[in-house]
Amino acid sequence: MADQQWQCLYRASNSLEAHSIKGLLENMGIYVRLTGEALAAAAGELPMSVVEVQLWVTNNQRQQALTIIEGYLRNDYHDWYCGHCGEVNQGQFELCWQCQYDRDEG
């Protein structure tokens, strides 16, 4: 991955959103780097555009990542119940947050 070129793909409004999207992308096999998290402590003292957390992906995974993020932004995912523990999960996630079972294993 060191010889790959990275592109900023998305600017999250906070760390929670950034990590949610990062997890979504990584679950689909996309490598993600986050930048700007350390500046979140300066929120209110710096312009919001400076404290945004940026998600970076490699050029060769850019298109796949864009497609996934577009789906996330459309919010066209449907919640699902884990077949193993019965927990309700948000539709964009493929693993149960409670028991880590795969969505399709239940």
Side-chain angles (χ1 to χ4, degrees), residues 34-75:
L34 296 181
T35 61
E37 281 190 287
L39 295 174
E45 297 177 26
L46 295 172
M48 286 307 293
S49 61
V50 174
V51 296
E52 292 173 333
V53 181
Q54 299 175 354
L55 286 89
W56 295 71
V57 299
T58 60
N59 286 341
N60 63 337
Q61 293 185 315
R62 182 180 184 277
Q63 192 55 50
Q64 181 186 4
L66 278 174
T67 301
I68 294 166
I69 288 177
E70 286 171 3
Y72 165 81
L73 293 173
R74 278 194 315 271
N75 197 18

Side-chain angles (χ1 to χ4, degrees), residues 25-105:
L25 293 172
E26 287 178 339
N27 192 41
M28 301 301 285
I30 297 172
Y31 296 101
V32 180
R33 289 182 182 171
L34 296 181
T35 61
E37 281 190 287
L39 295 174
E45 297 177 26
L46 295 172
M48 286 307 293
S49 61
V50 174
V51 296
E52 292 173 333
V53 181
Q54 299 175 354
L55 286 89
W56 295 71
V57 299
T58 60
N59 286 341
N60 63 337
Q61 293 185 315
R62 182 180 184 277
Q63 192 55 50
Q64 181 186 4
L66 278 174
T67 301
I68 294 166
I69 288 177
E70 286 171 3
Y72 165 81
L73 293 173
R74 278 194 315 271
N75 197 18
D76 60 357
Y77 296 101
H78 300 286
D79 291 349
W80 57 277
Y81 290 91
C82 177
H84 181 257
C85 72
E87 187 66 39
V88 85
N89 293 274
Q90 292 181 354
Q92 68 266 32
F93 298 108
E94 296 296 319
L95 293 177
C96 176
W97 73 270
Q98 179 70 27
C99 69
Q100 303 304 305
Y101 262 65
D102 189 281
R103 179 181 197 161
D104 298 327
E105 286 182 16

